[in-house]
Amino acid sequence: HMFAWLDNYDMGLVLEPTTLKDAQDTLMGDTSAAVRWAALNDYNTGVVLYDQNVRTQTFLNTWNDVLLSQGEAFQEGAFQKELERSDVRLKQLPTEYNLMVRPDTHAVYL
């Protein structure tokens, strides 16, 4: 059913697992509205659902260019920044799409 979301959206992403904690910390602290907004809109790049259309191809090519110039260490930061600049229509995916499997334990939903 998740591919049906692409009828109305270009891309689907899961919020970064620490987003709620970060948001709570920034909302309770003395921070600007821009910082609070950023804390609520930080997406994880582990699972990316996307439609192969002009908007997503433009976004992905731009992100790739930034990665090549900055290096892979800035992957998610560059992704977020370029996503905000793009015209990609975004769907927030349910948290069950962000599953971490650790070798020493059971699978954990983040």
Side-chain angles (χ1 to χ4, degrees):
H1 81 137
M2 68 183 197
F3 292 107
W5 293 330
L6 295 176
D7 292 340
N8 299 309
Y9 299 95
D10 300 315
M11 186 173 286
L13 297 164
V14 179
L15 282 173
E16 181 64 34
T18 60
T19 295
L20 295 177
K21 173 74 170 98
D22 290 348
Q24 181 182 23
D25 291 347
T26 58
L27 289 172
M28 300 304 287
D30 185 24
T31 58
S32 71
V35 171
R36 290 192 303 267
W37 178 253
L40 291 169
N41 292 284
D42 190 14
Y43 292 97
N44 186 287
T45 57
V47 173
V48 179
L49 171 71
Y50 70 95
D51 188 14
Q52 191 167 345
N53 60 36
V54 173
R55 283 185 295 270
T56 58
Q57 288 304 303
T58 299
F59 163 72
L60 292 171
N61 288 335
T62 302
W63 180 43
N64 185 61
D65 292 344
V66 170
L67 287 179
L68 290 174
S69 68
Q70 294 182 353
E72 195 172 323
F74 300 101
Q75 176 185 346
E76 287 185 349
F79 184 91
Q80 186 67 32
K81 187 177 287 185
E82 295 307 319
L83 184 62
E84 291 171 3
R85 293 178 183 164
S86 78
D87 60 351
V88 168
R89 298 171 302 167
L90 185 64
K91 164 77 174 161
Q92 183 178 317
L93 298 178
T95 57
E96 56 263 23
Y97 290 98
N98 192 4
L99 176 69
M100 179 183 288
V101 179
R102 299 178 182 155
D104 61 338
T105 186
H106 300 290
V108 177
Y109 286 104
L110 301 175

